[in-house]
Amino acid sequence: MKNLFVTLSLLAIAIMVGCGTGTSEKASEEDQQAQYDSLFDEVMAVHDEVMPKMEEIHSLKKRIEKELEIVEGDSEQVLRDAHKELSEADQGMRDWMRNFRKPADDLSMEEKMNYLRQEKESISKVSMDTHSSIDNANDALRSLSEE
């Protein structure tokens, strides 16, 4: 009887440990998935904030092109530089959008997370370049009206 009790106790302990491990692994996978989803959402949020700025970039480029038809001297170079920055920011967004892909399902979670971290860094640079080029273009156009 004592052996039966010991055997059943050991079996119960083994079952509890086994179930606990599975639950822990499942929770860990769920945590990793939640982190992945959160990081993916962060990447897309930066994109979604910057994307509407592309219209502003195109508008500023057209305004600068019109001004370049009539301006000369130092102001001309300032406008050309601003136009170039706007074009580079626009191209940066186009390149990012062309190259971005949701990570493939067959990648490990670590590989997916590393990819998304790189993409967040990349789209954040696009965002900074976009905002900076718009600010510089507005400053250049404003300085023309002050002359």
Side-chain angles (χ1 to χ4, degrees), residues 61-117:
K61 284 173 65 174
K62 286 182 181 185
R63 284 179 56 199
I64 288 173
E65 288 163 4
K66 284 184 180 180
E67 291 293 334
L68 281 169
E69 293 174 3
I70 56 173
V71 74
E72 297 176 349
D74 291 341
S75 296
E76 180 182 4
Q77 189 58 49
V78 169
L79 289 175
R80 288 192 187 286
D81 291 345
H83 190 276
K84 181 180 177 193
E85 284 182 24
L86 291 167
S87 295
E88 289 171 351
D90 181 44
Q91 189 62 49
M93 176 58 96
R94 291 174 189 271
D95 290 346
W96 186 86
M97 288 175 43
R98 182 177 52 252
N99 295 322
F100 179 76
R101 300 288 180 263
K102 189 171 183 176
D105 290 336
D106 63 344
L107 295 176
S108 71
M109 186 56 74
E110 183 179 342
E111 291 170 316
K112 290 178 185 181
M113 294 295 285
N114 286 338
Y115 173 76
L116 288 178
R117 284 185 199 101

Coordinates of all heavy atoms in Angstrom, one line a residue, residues 61-117:
K61 N 7.9 70.9 -53.1 CA 8.8 70.8 -54.3 C 8.3 71.6 -55.4 O 9.1 72.3 -56.1 CB 9.0 69.3 -54.7 CG 9.9 68.5 -53.8 CD 9.9 67.0 -54.1 CE 10.5 66.7 -55.5 NZ 10.6 65.3 -55.8
K62 N 7.0 71.6 -55.7 CA 6.4 72.4 -56.7 C 6.6 73.9 -56.5 O 6.9 74.6 -57.4 CB 4.9 72.0 -56.9 CG 4.7 70.7 -57.6 CD 3.3 70.4 -57.8 CE 3.1 69.0 -58.4 NZ 1.8 68.7 -58.8
R63 N 6.4 74.3 -55.2 CA 6.5 75.7 -54.9 C 8.0 76.1 -55.1 O 8.2 77.2 -55.6 CB 6.1 76.0 -53.4 CG 4.6 76.0 -53.2 CD 4.3 76.2 -51.8 NE 4.8 77.4 -51.2 CZ 5.0 77.7 -49.9 NH1 4.6 76.8 -49.0 NH2 5.5 78.8 -49.5
I64 N 8.9 75.3 -54.7 CA 10.3 75.6 -54.9 C 10.7 75.7 -56.4 O 11.4 76.6 -56.8 CB 11.2 74.6 -54.1 CG1 11.1 74.9 -52.6 CG2 12.7 74.7 -54.6 CD1 11.8 73.8 -51.8
E65 N 10.1 74.8 -57.2 CA 10.4 74.8 -58.6 C 9.9 76.1 -59.2 O 10.6 76.6 -60.1 CB 9.8 73.5 -59.3 CG 10.5 72.2 -58.9 CD 9.7 71.0 -59.2 OE1 8.6 71.1 -59.7 OE2 10.2 69.9 -58.8
K66 N 8.8 76.5 -58.8 CA 8.3 77.8 -59.3 C 9.2 79.0 -58.9 O 9.5 79.9 -59.7 CB 6.8 78.1 -58.8 CG 5.8 77.3 -59.6 CD 4.4 77.6 -59.1 CE 3.4 76.7 -59.9 NZ 2.0 77.0 -59.5
E67 N 9.6 79.0 -57.7 CA 10.5 80.0 -57.2 C 11.9 80.0 -58.0 O 12.5 81.0 -58.2 CB 10.7 79.9 -55.7 CG 9.5 80.3 -54.9 CD 9.1 81.7 -55.0 OE1 10.0 82.6 -55.3 OE2 7.9 82.0 -54.8
L68 N 12.3 78.8 -58.3 CA 13.6 78.7 -59.0 C 13.6 79.3 -60.4 O 14.6 79.6 -60.9 CB 14.0 77.2 -59.0 CG 14.6 76.6 -57.7 CD1 14.8 75.1 -57.8 CD2 16.0 77.3 -57.4
E69 N 12.4 79.4 -60.9 CA 12.3 80.0 -62.3 C 12.6 81.5 -62.2 O 13.0 82.1 -63.2 CB 10.9 79.8 -62.8 CG 10.6 78.4 -63.1 CD 9.1 78.1 -63.6 OE1 8.3 79.1 -63.7 OE2 8.8 76.9 -63.8
I70 N 12.4 82.1 -61.0 CA 12.6 83.6 -61.0 C 13.7 84.1 -60.0 O 14.1 85.2 -60.1 CB 11.3 84.3 -60.5 CG1 10.8 83.7 -59.2 CG2 10.2 84.1 -61.6 CD1 9.6 84.4 -58.6
V71 N 14.2 83.2 -59.2 CA 15.2 83.6 -58.2 C 16.7 83.4 -58.7 O 16.9 82.5 -59.5 CB 15.0 83.0 -56.9 CG1 15.4 81.5 -56.9 CG2 15.6 83.7 -55.7
E72 N 17.6 84.2 -58.2 CA 19.0 84.0 -58.6 C 19.9 84.1 -57.4 O 19.4 84.5 -56.3 CB 19.4 85.1 -59.6 CG 18.7 85.0 -60.9 CD 19.1 86.1 -61.9 OE1 19.7 87.1 -61.4 OE2 18.7 86.0 -63.0
G73 N 21.1 83.8 -57.5 CA 22.1 84.1 -56.5 C 22.1 83.1 -55.3 O 21.8 81.9 -55.6
D74 N 22.4 83.5 -54.1 CA 22.4 82.6 -53.0 C 21.1 82.0 -52.7 O 21.0 80.8 -52.3 CB 22.9 83.4 -51.7 CG 24.3 83.9 -51.8 OD1 25.1 83.3 -52.6 OD2 24.7 84.8 -51.0
S75 N 20.0 82.7 -52.9 CA 18.7 82.1 -52.7 C 18.4 80.9 -53.6 O 17.8 80.0 -53.2 CB 17.6 83.2 -52.9 OG 17.7 84.2 -52.0
E76 N 18.9 81.0 -54.8 CA 18.8 79.9 -55.7 C 19.4 78.6 -55.2 O 18.8 77.5 -55.2 CB 19.4 80.2 -57.1 CG 19.2 79.1 -58.1 CD 19.9 79.4 -59.4 OE1 20.5 80.5 -59.6 OE2 19.7 78.6 -60.3
Q77 N 20.6 78.7 -54.6 CA 21.3 77.6 -54.1 C 20.6 77.0 -52.9 O 20.5 75.8 -52.7 CB 22.8 77.9 -53.8 CG 23.6 76.6 -53.4 CD 23.6 75.6 -54.5 OE1 23.8 75.9 -55.7 NE2 23.3 74.3 -54.1
V78 N 20.1 77.9 -52.0 CA 19.3 77.5 -50.8 C 18.1 76.7 -51.3 O 17.8 75.6 -50.7 CB 19.0 78.7 -50.0 CG1 18.0 78.3 -48.9 CG2 20.2 79.3 -49.3
L79 N 17.4 77.2 -52.3 CA 16.2 76.5 -52.8 C 16.6 75.1 -53.4 O 15.9 74.1 -53.2 CB 15.4 77.4 -53.8 CG 14.7 78.6 -53.2 CD1 14.1 79.4 -54.3 CD2 13.6 78.1 -52.2
R80 N 17.7 75.1 -54.2 CA 18.1 73.9 -54.8 C 18.4 72.8 -53.7 O 18.1 71.6 -53.8 CB 19.3 74.1 -55.7 CG 18.9 74.8 -57.0 CD 20.0 74.8 -58.0 NE 19.7 75.6 -59.2 CZ 18.8 75.3 -60.1 NH1 18.1 74.1 -60.0 NH2 18.5 76.1 -61.1
D81 N 19.1 73.3 -52.7 CA 19.4 72.4 -51.6 C 18.2 71.8 -50.9 O 18.1 70.6 -50.6 CB 20.4 73.0 -50.6 CG 21.7 73.3 -51.1 OD1 22.1 72.8 -52.1 OD2 22.5 74.1 -50.5
A82 N 17.2 72.7 -50.7 CA 16.0 72.3 -50.0 C 15.2 71.3 -50.9 O 14.7 70.3 -50.4 CB 15.1 73.6 -49.7
H83 N 15.2 71.6 -52.2 CA 14.5 70.7 -53.1 C 15.2 69.3 -53.1 O 14.5 68.3 -53.1 CB 14.6 71.3 -54.5 CG 13.7 70.6 -55.5 ND1 14.1 69.5 -56.2 CD2 12.5 70.9 -56.0 CE1 13.2 69.1 -57.0 NE2 12.1 69.9 -56.9
K84 N 16.5 69.3 -53.1 CA 17.2 68.0 -53.1 C 16.9 67.3 -51.8 O 16.7 66.0 -51.8 CB 18.7 68.3 -53.1 CG 19.6 67.0 -53.1 CD 21.1 67.4 -53.2 CE 21.8 66.1 -53.2 NZ 23.3 66.3 -52.9
E85 N 16.9 67.9 -50.6 CA 16.5 67.3 -49.4 C 15.1 66.7 -49.4 O 14.9 65.6 -49.0 CB 16.6 68.2 -48.2 CG 18.0 68.5 -47.8 CD 18.0 69.5 -46.6 OE1 17.0 69.5 -45.8 OE2 19.0 70.2 -46.4
L86 N 14.2 67.4 -50.0 CA 12.8 66.9 -50.1 C 12.8 65.7 -51.0 O 12.1 64.7 -50.7 CB 11.9 68.0 -50.7 CG 11.6 69.2 -49.8 CD1 11.0 70.3 -50.6 CD2 10.7 68.8 -48.6
S87 N 13.5 65.7 -52.1 CA 13.5 64.6 -53.0 C 14.1 63.4 -52.4 O 13.7 62.2 -52.5 CB 14.4 64.9 -54.3 OG 13.7 65.9 -55.0
E88 N 15.2 63.6 -51.6 CA 15.8 62.5 -50.9 C 14.9 61.9 -49.8 O 14.9 60.6 -49.6 CB 17.2 62.9 -50.3 CG 18.2 63.2 -51.3 CD 19.5 63.8 -50.7 OE1 19.5 64.3 -49.6 OE2 20.5 63.9 -51.5
A89 N 14.2 62.7 -49.1 CA 13.2 62.2 -48.1 C 12.1 61.4 -48.8 O 11.7 60.3 -48.3 CB 12.7 63.4 -47.3
D90 N 11.6 61.9 -49.9 CA 10.6 61.2 -50.7 C 11.1 59.9 -51.1 O 10.4 58.9 -51.0 CB 10.2 62.1 -51.8 CG 9.1 61.5 -52.7 OD1 8.1 60.9 -52.1 OD2 9.2 61.5 -53.9
Q91 N 12.3 59.9 -51.7 CA 12.9 58.6 -52.1 C 13.1 57.6 -51.0 O 12.9 56.4 -51.1 CB 14.2 58.9 -52.9 CG 14.8 57.6 -53.6 CD 13.8 57.1 -54.6 OE1 13.3 57.9 -55.5 NE2 13.5 55.8 -54.6
G92 N 13.5 58.2 -49.8 CA 13.7 57.3 -48.6 C 12.4 56.6 -48.3 O 12.5 55.4 -48.0
M93 N 11.3 57.3 -48.3 CA 10.0 56.6 -48.0 C 9.7 55.6 -49.1 O 9.2 54.5 -48.8 CB 8.9 57.7 -47.9 CG 7.5 57.0 -47.7 SD 7.4 56.0 -46.2 CE 6.7 57.2 -45.1
R94 N 9.9 56.0 -50.4 CA 9.6 55.0 -51.4 C 10.4 53.7 -51.3 O 9.9 52.6 -51.5 CB 9.9 55.7 -52.8 CG 8.9 56.7 -53.2 CD 9.3 57.4 -54.5 NE 8.6 58.6 -54.7 CZ 7.4 58.6 -55.4 NH1 6.9 57.5 -55.9 NH2 6.8 59.7 -55.6
D95 N 11.7 53.9 -51.0 CA 12.6 52.8 -50.8 C 12.2 51.9 -49.7 O 12.1 50.7 -49.8 CB 14.1 53.2 -50.6 CG 14.7 53.8 -51.9 OD1 14.1 53.7 -53.0 OD2 15.7 54.5 -51.7
W96 N 11.8 52.6 -48.5 CA 11.4 51.8 -47.4 C 10.2 51.0 -47.7 O 10.1 49.8 -47.4 CB 11.2 52.7 -46.2 CG 10.9 51.9 -44.9 CD1 11.8 51.4 -44.1 CD2 9.6 51.5 -44.5 NE1 11.1 50.7 -43.1 CE2 9.8 50.7 -43.3 CE3 8.3 51.7 -44.9 CZ2 8.7 50.2 -42.6 CZ3 7.2 51.2 -44.2 CH2 7.5 50.4 -43.0
M97 N 9.2 51.6 -48.3 CA 7.9 50.9 -48.6 C 8.2 49.8 -49.6 O 7.5 48.7 -49.5 CB 6.9 51.9 -49.2 CG 6.4 52.8 -48.1 SD 5.3 54.1 -48.7 CE 4.2 53.3 -49.8
R98 N 9.1 50.0 -50.6 CA 9.3 48.9 -51.5 C 10.0 47.7 -50.9 O 9.8 46.6 -51.2 CB 10.2 49.5 -52.7 CG 10.5 48.4 -53.8 CD 11.3 49.0 -55.0 NE 12.5 49.7 -54.6 CZ 12.7 51.0 -54.6 NH1 11.7 51.8 -55.0 NH2 13.8 51.5 -54.3
N99 N 10.9 48.0 -49.9 CA 11.6 46.9 -49.3 C 11.0 46.3 -48.1 O 11.4 45.2 -47.7 CB 13.0 47.5 -48.9 CG 13.8 47.8 -50.1 OD1 13.8 47.2 -51.2 ND2 14.6 48.9 -50.0
F100 N 10.1 46.9 -47.4 CA 9.5 46.4 -46.2 C 8.6 45.2 -46.5 O 7.8 45.3 -47.4 CB 8.7 47.5 -45.4 CG 8.1 46.9 -44.2 CD1 8.9 46.7 -43.0 CD2 6.7 46.6 -44.1 CE1 8.3 46.2 -41.9 CE2 6.2 46.1 -43.0 CZ 6.9 45.9 -41.9
R101 N 8.8 44.2 -45.7 CA 7.9 43.0 -45.8 C 7.7 42.5 -44.4 O 8.5 42.6 -43.5 CB 8.6 41.8 -46.5 CG 9.0 42.1 -48.0 CD 7.7 42.2 -48.8 NE 8.1 42.5 -50.2 CZ 8.0 43.7 -50.8 NH1 7.7 44.7 -50.1 NH2 8.3 43.8 -52.0
K102 N 6.5 42.0 -44.1 CA 6.2 41.4 -42.8 C 7.0 40.2 -42.8 O 7.2 39.4 -43.7 CB 4.7 41.1 -42.8 CG 4.3 40.6 -41.4 CD 2.8 40.5 -41.3 CE 2.4 40.1 -39.9 NZ 1.0 40.1 -39.7
P103 N 7.7 40.0 -41.6 CA 8.6 38.8 -41.5 C 7.9 37.5 -41.8 O 6.7 37.3 -41.4 CB 9.0 38.9 -40.0 CG 8.9 40.3 -39.6 CD 7.7 40.8 -40.4
A104 N 8.6 36.6 -42.5 CA 8.0 35.3 -42.9 C 7.8 34.5 -41.6 O 8.5 34.5 -40.6 CB 9.0 34.6 -43.8
D105 N 6.7 33.7 -41.7 CA 6.3 32.8 -40.6 C 7.4 31.8 -40.3 O 7.5 31.3 -39.1 CB 5.0 32.1 -40.9 CG 3.8 33.1 -40.9 OD1 3.9 34.1 -40.3 OD2 2.8 32.7 -41.6
D106 N 8.2 31.4 -41.2 CA 9.2 30.3 -41.0 C 10.5 30.9 -40.2 O 11.3 30.1 -39.9 CB 9.6 29.6 -42.2 CG 10.3 30.5 -43.3 OD1 10.2 31.7 -43.2 OD2 10.9 29.9 -44.2
L107 N 10.5 32.2 -40.0 CA 11.7 32.7 -39.2 C 11.4 32.5 -37.7 O 10.3 32.4 -37.3 CB 11.8 34.2 -39.5 CG 12.2 34.6 -40.9 CD1 12.2 36.2 -41.0 CD2 13.5 34.1 -41.3
S108 N 12.5 32.4 -37.0 CA 12.4 32.3 -35.5 C 11.9 33.7 -35.0 O 12.0 34.7 -35.7 CB 13.8 32.0 -34.9 OG 14.6 33.1 -35.0
M109 N 11.4 33.6 -33.8 CA 10.8 34.9 -33.2 C 12.0 35.9 -33.0 O 11.8 37.1 -33.3 CB 10.2 34.6 -31.9 CG 9.5 35.8 -31.3 SD 8.3 36.6 -32.4 CE 6.9 35.4 -32.3
E110 N 13.2 35.4 -32.7 CA 14.3 36.3 -32.6 C 14.6 37.0 -33.9 O 14.9 38.2 -33.9 CB 15.5 35.5 -32.0 CG 16.7 36.4 -31.8 CD 17.9 35.6 -31.2 OE1 17.7 34.5 -30.7 OE2 19.0 36.1 -31.3
E111 N 14.6 36.2 -35.0 CA 14.9 36.8 -36.3 C 13.8 37.8 -36.7 O 14.1 38.9 -37.2 CB 15.0 35.7 -37.4 CG 16.2 34.8 -37.2 CD 16.1 33.6 -38.1 OE1 15.0 32.9 -38.2 OE2 17.1 33.2 -38.7
K112 N 12.6 37.5 -36.4 CA 11.5 38.4 -36.7 C 11.7 39.7 -35.9 O 11.5 40.8 -36.5 CB 10.1 37.8 -36.3 CG 9.7 36.7 -37.2 CD 8.4 36.1 -36.8 CE 7.9 34.9 -37.5 NZ 6.6 34.4 -37.1
M113 N 12.0 39.6 -34.6 CA 12.1 40.8 -33.8 C 13.3 41.6 -34.2 O 13.3 42.8 -34.3 CB 12.3 40.4 -32.3 CG 11.1 39.7 -31.7 SD 9.7 40.8 -31.6 CE 10.2 41.8 -30.2
N114 N 14.4 41.0 -34.6 CA 15.6 41.7 -35.1 C 15.3 42.5 -36.3 O 15.7 43.6 -36.5 CB 16.8 40.8 -35.3 CG 17.4 40.3 -34.0 OD1 17.3 41.0 -33.0 ND2 18.1 39.2 -34.0
Y115 N 14.6 41.8 -37.2 CA 14.2 42.4 -38.5 C 13.3 43.7 -38.2 O 13.5 44.8 -38.8 CB 13.4 41.5 -39.4 CG 12.8 42.1 -40.6 CD1 13.6 42.4 -41.7 CD2 11.5 42.4 -40.7 CE1 13.1 43.0 -42.8 CE2 10.9 43.0 -41.8 CZ 11.7 43.3 -42.9 OH 11.2 43.9 -44.0
L116 N 12.3 43.5 -37.3 CA 11.4 44.7 -37.0 C 12.2 45.8 -36.3 O 11.9 47.0 -36.5 CB 10.2 44.2 -36.2 CG 9.2 43.4 -36.9 CD1 8.1 43.0 -36.0 CD2 8.6 44.2 -38.1
R117 N 13.2 45.4 -35.5 CA 14.0 46.5 -34.8 C 14.7 47.3 -35.9 O 14.8 48.5 -35.8 CB 14.9 45.9 -33.8 CG 14.3 45.5 -32.5 CD 15.3 45.0 -31.5 NE 14.6 44.2 -30.5 CZ 14.6 42.9 -30.4 NH1 15.3 42.1 -31.3 NH2 13.9 42.3 -29.5

